[in-house]
Amino acid sequence: MDFDIDPTTTILGIETSCDETAAAVVSGGNDIRSSVVSSQVDLHARFGGVVPEIASRAHVELLTPVVAEAMVSAGVDNGGIDAVAATVGPGLIGSLLVGVSAAKALALVWDVPFVGVNHLEAHFYASFLEDPTLEPPLVVLLVSGGHTMLVRFDDHGKYRVIGETIDDAAGEAFDKVARFLGLGYPGGPAIDRISSEGDPHAIKFPRAMYDEGLDFSFSGLKTSVINHVRKHPEVRTEDVAASFQQAVVDVLVHKAKKAAVEHGAKGLCLGGGVAANSLLRERFLDACTEIDVHGFLPSRSMCTDNAAMVAAAAWYRLRDDGPTPLDVGADPNLGLKH
Ligand code: KG4
Ligand code: ZN
């Protein structure tokens, strides 16, 4: 069903799938009028990871002020909002429900459509938001705390997963290794920082499945790091972090390049929290130059969870599929439709 939509259609997006409470106002799918992200990282840090019950309670407290701030900084009141969107999955069920319930309630009260958005699809839109000239076919490397996948993107709403992790996600490996090394939570930024003082060639960690198709495996690498440190307790943490990061990035970049070539992609994009990694960003752009495809890196704030990408994805969903029925619930295991 097509919906009457135009470049001025303004969407309030809400994101509460994990530990960021976020709201944003985006017009026409790419004009970011405001984007507010309230991170709960301090609440979870002392537990070494996200505690679902704490996350959902914090979303309940933070969501109203975050939505209010997004509306005020966009300079709109409820009369200026044409639809309300929220992430419906994948994510933590208690957290998702807070955003989905709030978005449905606002849509009902304001008498505008509700749009349910897939969090993984939203991550693609971080690229379209910042570079609307991106032309399909594209290959997107989506690397977050929960997912590691290569996606072939043929058009809005038309994509398929062409490679994914068979065990841990890349971000999960960063978080687990950082925790083992005593670097705290979240692990990705900590390893990124400390790696600049280490030697990336100090330890030769394995590159699992390097020459096997487009799937990934990171759990063996995590185990190798643990075994190495236990065997060599005198090793410099900086060298372990830098060598680990090098191994992850080598595999990610190699497979992204391979996917772009095999699928004749015109462009290669990065998405998800791990796309904020300094070495990955540098090596990714070099790889795009090498194979002569248009490379695009969203800004760091667009890589991690935010609601602007949710509102952008919702604009295309509304255009192509119309409003989402209000009886659609949150789905913690929602996959990407193929
Ligand atoms: O996309 P995201 O914000 O949330 C999920 O949907 O999972 O990704 C969070 C993940 C965490 O595992 C975090 O450690 C990782 O992204 N991350 C990084 C960096 N910044 C965030 N990993 C490596 N280097 C970074 N600079
Ligand atoms: Zn995410």
Side-chain angles (χ1 to χ4, degrees):
M1 188 231 310
D2 278 348
F3 182 78
D4 193 13
I5 193 163
D6 66 42
T8 64
T9 299
T10 299
I11 300 183
L12 168 67
I14 292 176
E15 158 64 40
T16 62
S17 67
C18 190
D19 61 341
E20 325 280 357
T21 312
V25 176
V26 178
S27 296
N30 59 21
D31 175 13
I32 305 176
R33 313 260 303 267
S34 67
S35 178
V36 179
V37 180
S38 173
S39 173
Q40 305 174 5
V41 90
D42 296 343
L43 290 178
H44 301 284
R46 66 194 170 106
F47 300 103
V50 178
V51 183
E53 182 61 23
I54 293 178
S56 41
R57 283 167 190 264
H59 286 307
V60 171
E61 276 175 29
L62 293 166
L63 190 55
T64 305
V66 164
V67 167
E69 191 183 334
M71 302 275 290
V72 169
S73 40
V76 291
D77 58 18
N78 49 357
I81 299 292
D82 302 306
V84 185
T87 301
V88 292
L92 301 170
I93 185 65
S95 294
L96 289 166
L97 280 171
V98 177
V100 171
S101 316
K104 286 180 180 174
L106 290 173
L108 269 174
V109 173
W110 295 344
D111 195 21
V112 294
F114 162 71
V115 190
V117 171
N118 181 313
H119 183 76
L120 303 176
E121 186 177 71
H123 271 298
F124 303 161
Y125 281 86
S127 295
F128 289 106
L129 264 172
E130 294 184 325
D131 186 355
T133 67
L134 278 174
E135 247 187 83
L138 298 168
V139 165
V140 187
L141 172 62
L142 187 61
V143 268
S144 71
H147 296 86
T148 296
M149 46 176 67
L150 282 160
V151 179
R152 179 192 160 112
F153 186 99
D154 286 308
D155 201 351
H156 297 283
K158 268 183 74 183
Y159 38 72
R160 74 191 157 90
V161 179
I162 53 175
E164 60 193 323
T165 182
I166 59 164
D167 42 53
D168 290 354
E172 191 180 353
F174 270 95
D175 293 335
K176 286 179 175 169
V177 166
R179 188 172 178 165
F180 172 73
L181 295 175
L183 298 175
Y185 172 84
I191 290 192
D192 194 347
R193 248 187 333 268
I194 193 178
S195 292
S196 61
E197 287 146 38
D199 174 4
H201 306 291
I203 309 148
K204 185 89 186 125
F205 287 126
R207 273 79 170 147
M209 299 175 71
Y210 194 83
D211 288 315
E212 289 165 49
L214 296 175
D215 286 339
F216 304 88
S217 165
F218 292 109
S219 82
L221 172 58
K222 174 197 66 197
T223 310
S224 294
V225 171
I226 295 173
N227 290 342
H228 185 90
V229 175
R230 287 199 173 135
K231 224 163 140 191
H232 307 275
E234 72 296 345
V235 69
R236 287 180 72 228
T237 302
E238 291 84 348
D239 289 344
V240 178
S243 302
F244 160 78
Q245 178 176 272
Q246 183 78 23
V248 175
V249 170
D250 272 356
V251 178
L252 291 176
V253 170
H254 173 69
K255 300 238 174 184
K257 240 162 81 174
K258 187 171 154 131
V261 171
E262 282 177 6
H263 287 264
K266 285 194 190 160
L268 195 51
C269 305
L270 261 189
V274 181
N277 183 266
S278 316
L279 182 68
L280 178 58
R281 295 174 78 80
E282 185 189 317
R283 293 272 309 280
F284 184 83
L285 284 185
D286 290 347
C288 292
T289 312
E290 254 171 62
I291 56 171
D292 196 23
V293 298
H294 178 74
F296 185 72
L297 288 177
S299 60
R300 278 187 165 80
S301 59
M302 274 299 144
C303 292
T304 44
D305 288 347
N306 65 83
M309 65 185 193
V310 174
W315 191 89
Y316 291 92
R317 276 286 73 80
L318 194 55
R319 183 191 70 177
D320 298 339
D321 302 337
T324 306
L326 286 173
D327 60 359
V328 164
D331 180 353
N333 301 314
L334 187 66
L336 269 182
K337 69 182 167 97
H338 294 265

